[in-house]
Every structure is written in C-alpha cells, then in structure tokens.
C-alpha cells in the first residue's frame, strides 16, 4: 500500500552496521531475525516505489546482502518478497496452511511429522551446493518428530549416503550405544546433520556448504523443538552456536540455544579413534540426561 511517509535513510556507518548484522544472521541461517530487522524499514516507512523506480536504499542493501545466488530465489514474475532468503519460507507458507514457526513458537506435536515432510519436500532433489554432485542419497534426518533429545552430526558418510539415513555406520553404532546408555531408544530421539549430502572423502563441509544447508537443520530443530540438543563434534558445535571455538571450551556445560539446551560433546567417529575420551563424552551425556530429568539406567 502506498503511503506518504518519507523513505527512512541511514548514514553510511549505520548502513554498514545493518549490513554486518544481516550478514551475520544470514551466515547463521537465522532468517527470522533479519526479517525483523529489514521489514520495518521496507514496509513501515517507505513509499511504494513507482514502477521502474529504484527500491529504497535499505531494501536494496538487504537484497544485496541477503539474497544468495540460489536456484530457489523467486522466479521472474513471481510475487516478490522484500527479503527472500532461499525462498523457502514463502513456499512453505502456501502449503497445507502450515506456518513456519517463529523462534520460540511451537508446532503442535501432531503436526510435526507433516511439517518435517513439507520441509523435506522443500529441499527436493537439492542442487544448492556442490555436494549434490557426489551424492547417492540425501540424508534428511531420522527419528521421532516429537523427540525431546536431538543429536546433530557433521554430514553423512559412505554408509549414510548409501542408505539415506544418518548415523548408520560404525559411528552410528556407537551413537546407538550412547543413546542406550542414557536409557533411551534411538527411535525416541531425532538425528540430523549440518549438511545433508556426503562431503567427498568424508572431509569437513566447507563453510559455504554448511551455510547453504544448515538453514534446513535450523528449521527441523524449530519444528521439533526438543528440550535438549547434543552437538556431536566441532562442526555441529560451530554451526549451531555460530562461533568457532575449540571443543574443549564448549564441552561440559549447558549452552542456551533458541530457547533449548545445547550440550557439546565429541563426535562418535572421534571416540572410535580415541576411546579414552568416552569417559568425557559420557560426562557430557549425563549433563544432557540431567536436563531431560533422566536417571541413569540400572545395570541388569
Ligand atoms: N558422521 C556424521 O557426522 N553424520 C552421520 O550421519 C554419520 C557419520
């Protein structure tokens, strides 16, 4: 709707500060945060540009900073959003009356399976990053849509790529044992990865690959809203917490994560290489159990 309000302009320092904040949110995959930043500038205080006129400076800035060159951006002629990050939110909203949860919002338990399926459909036969070229199966995630405990790994390995399921190889066997030691069944938890396609030779995902894929992980987490997340290894910890730090400094305590509790521990593949660290990992899992109100299962 056209208004007579004057366009809001920012001085160059404020523009750079906004751009920096938007880049930070984009890199974390936090779409909701930067929408809050940009939409008031675009919608509340700017006159509708006459057709052919340049968009207001802040809107242009947001578009430059936020819109990645992605096959998911709106097709020409499609109704435009002022800020369009990968286009997923717009597409998901049009289906089955499902609304993407805002941070802190709760998807009712009975709708979570559908919400995850919609997200899976959104990802489709993904070609958003180069990892798709070596993929046999995209590994979306596995487990209960109403899980109270959600594990995040790095990315699929060969076994996972072959089966389309996370943590089904040797590291997965160890993860299953860790879950059983907590007195839980694997199918009661949810398991996902930072990237959904196998990096060649099981290398660590590149930042670009992780930033492209992790918004989907964030959205899975926002649908399930487990009480506790466990980041398995440095890659999961880095992309969930948005800061690269040595694992040692992140383990052994509870981090606040979007209204949930996040615990960082060693990746099971690392524990297979250095079993002496299993004791430390068990200490981390006990922190998770405490957060969940779980007792250590009795032997026998
Ligand atoms: N390692 C991971 O990080 N994820 C898997 O799914 C399997 C192995």
């Amino acid at each position: 709707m056209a208004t007579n309000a004057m366009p809001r302009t920012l001085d160059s320092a404020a523009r750079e500060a906004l751009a920096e904040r938007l880049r930070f949110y984009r890199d974390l995959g936090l779409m909701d945060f930067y929408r809050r930043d940009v939409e008031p500038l675009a919608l509340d205080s700017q006159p509708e540009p006459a057709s052919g006129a340049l968009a207001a400076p802040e809107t242009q800035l947001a578009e430059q900073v936020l819109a990645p060159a992605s096959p998911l951006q709106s097709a020409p002629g499609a109704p435009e959003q002022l800020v369009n990050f990968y286009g997923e939110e717009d597409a998901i909203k049009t289906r089955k009356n499902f609304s993407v949860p805002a941070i802190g919002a709760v998807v009712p338990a009975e709708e979570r399976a559908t919400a995850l399926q919609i997200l899976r459909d959104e990802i489709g036969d993904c070609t958003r990053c180069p990892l798709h070229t070596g993929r046999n199966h995209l590994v979306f995630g596995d487990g209960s849509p109403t899980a109270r405990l959600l594990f995040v790994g790095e990315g699929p390995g060969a076994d996972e790529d072959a089966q389309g399921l996370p943590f089904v190889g040797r590291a997965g066997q160890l993860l299953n044992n860790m879950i059983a030691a907590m007195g839980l069944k694997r199918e009661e938890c949810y398991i996902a990865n930072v990237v959904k396609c196998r990096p060649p030779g099981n290398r660590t995902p590149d930042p670009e690959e992780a930033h492209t894929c992790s918004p989907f992980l964030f959205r899975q987490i926002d649908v399930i809203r487990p009480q506790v997340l466990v980041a398995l290894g440095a890659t999961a910890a880095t992309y969930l917490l948005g800061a690269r730090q040595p694992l040692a400094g992140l383990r052994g305590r509870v981090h606040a994560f979007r209204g949930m509790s996040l615990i960082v521990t060693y990746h099971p593949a690392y524990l297979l290489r250095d079993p002496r660290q299993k004791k430390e990992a068990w200490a981390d899992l006990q922190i998770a159990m405490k957060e969940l109100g779980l007792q250590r299962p009795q032997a026998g």
Side-chain angles (χ1 to χ4, degrees), residues 130-131 154-156 195 197-207 209 235:
L131 292 182
E154 178 173 300
V195 293
C197 297
R198 183 189 181 200
N202 297 343
R203 65 162 168 74
T204 304
D206 289 342
E209 295 156 356
T235 301

Side-chain angles (χ1 to χ4, degrees), residues 62-99:
E63 283 168 350
Q64 283 159 20
V65 172
L66 299 175
S70 156
L72 265 180
Q73 280 180 266
S74 301
E80 275 288 73
Q81 281 259 337
L82 285 162
V83 179
N84 188 339
F85 185 70
Y86 298 125
E88 302 117 337
E89 239 185 55
D90 317 321
I92 208 167
K93 271 183 180 158
T94 61
R95 298 186 46 186
K96 301 183 193 170
N97 296 326
F98 174 71
S99 301

Side-chain angles (χ1 to χ4, degrees), residues 31-296:
M31 294 157 291
D32 302 326
F33 280 0
Y34 66 61
R35 276 173 186 276
R36 250 176 250 145
D37 277 331
V38 173
E39 283 182 353
L41 288 171
L43 298 177
D44 292 345
S45 36
Q46 288 169 9
E48 210 166 64
S51 88
L54 284 178
E58 288 74 23
T59 309
Q60 289 175 343
L61 173 69
E63 283 168 350
Q64 283 159 20
V65 172
L66 299 175
S70 156
L72 265 180
Q73 280 180 266
S74 301
E80 275 288 73
Q81 281 259 337
L82 285 162
V83 179
N84 188 339
F85 185 70
Y86 298 125
E88 302 117 337
E89 239 185 55
D90 317 321
I92 208 167
K93 271 183 180 158
T94 61
R95 298 186 46 186
K96 301 183 193 170
N97 296 326
F98 174 71
S99 301
V100 174
I103 291 173
V106 175
V107 178
E110 64 276 12
E111 291 178 19
R112 288 182 201 165
T114 308
L116 290 174
Q117 185 55 52
I118 291 170
L119 200 46
R120 176 64 191 90
D121 294 348
E122 287 291 316
I123 296 173
D125 195 13
C126 186
T127 56
R128 294 171 184 84
C129 89
L131 292 182
H132 78 275
T133 56
R135 164 183 87 209
N136 287 304
H137 286 102
L138 186 147
V139 179
F140 178 69
D142 183 35
S144 168
T146 56
R148 294 171 63 215
L149 177 59
L150 191 153
F151 291 92
V152 178
E154 178 173 300
D159 294 306
E160 291 75 21
D161 175 61
Q163 296 185 42
L165 289 169
F167 282 97
V168 289
R170 283 186 66 222
Q173 189 55 52
L174 179 55
L175 179 60
N176 292 348
N177 294 342
M178 291 157 69
I179 292 170
M182 299 173 80
L184 294 169
K185 297 191 179 78
R186 176 178 164 124
E187 55 273 22
E188 291 176 290
C189 307
Y190 196 87
I191 305 175
N193 283 306
V194 171
V195 293
K196 302 200 182 312
C197 297
R198 183 189 181 200
N202 297 343
R203 65 162 168 74
T204 304
D206 289 342
E208 193 190 334
E209 295 156 356
H211 289 315
T212 302
C213 203
S214 60
F216 292 109
L217 170 66
F218 277 71
R219 289 168 63 189
Q220 283 168 287
I221 294 169
D222 281 347
V223 167
I224 298 168
R225 286 203 72 74
Q227 229 170 305
V228 176
L229 290 118
V230 175
L232 299 167
T235 301
T238 297
Y239 290 102
L240 288 173
L241 290 170
R244 189 184 292 276
Q245 277 183 49
L247 208 66
L250 299 172
R251 290 189 40 252
R253 62 195 161 99
V254 178
H255 303 263
F257 176 81
R258 293 156 84 91
M260 296 161 257
S261 298
L262 170 70
I263 285 118
V264 175
T265 194
Y266 293 117
H267 193 286
Y270 173 73
L271 296 175
L272 289 172
R273 293 195 298 275
D274 187 356
R276 288 168 308 174
Q277 304 303 329
K278 283 185 184 173
K279 209 170 125 226
E280 301 292 323
W282 179 233
D284 297 329
L285 295 183
Q286 285 179 293
I287 300 172
M289 288 169 66
K290 193 167 170 213
E291 288 293 297
L292 291 164
L294 293 174
Q295 300 292 324
R296 188 176 173 172

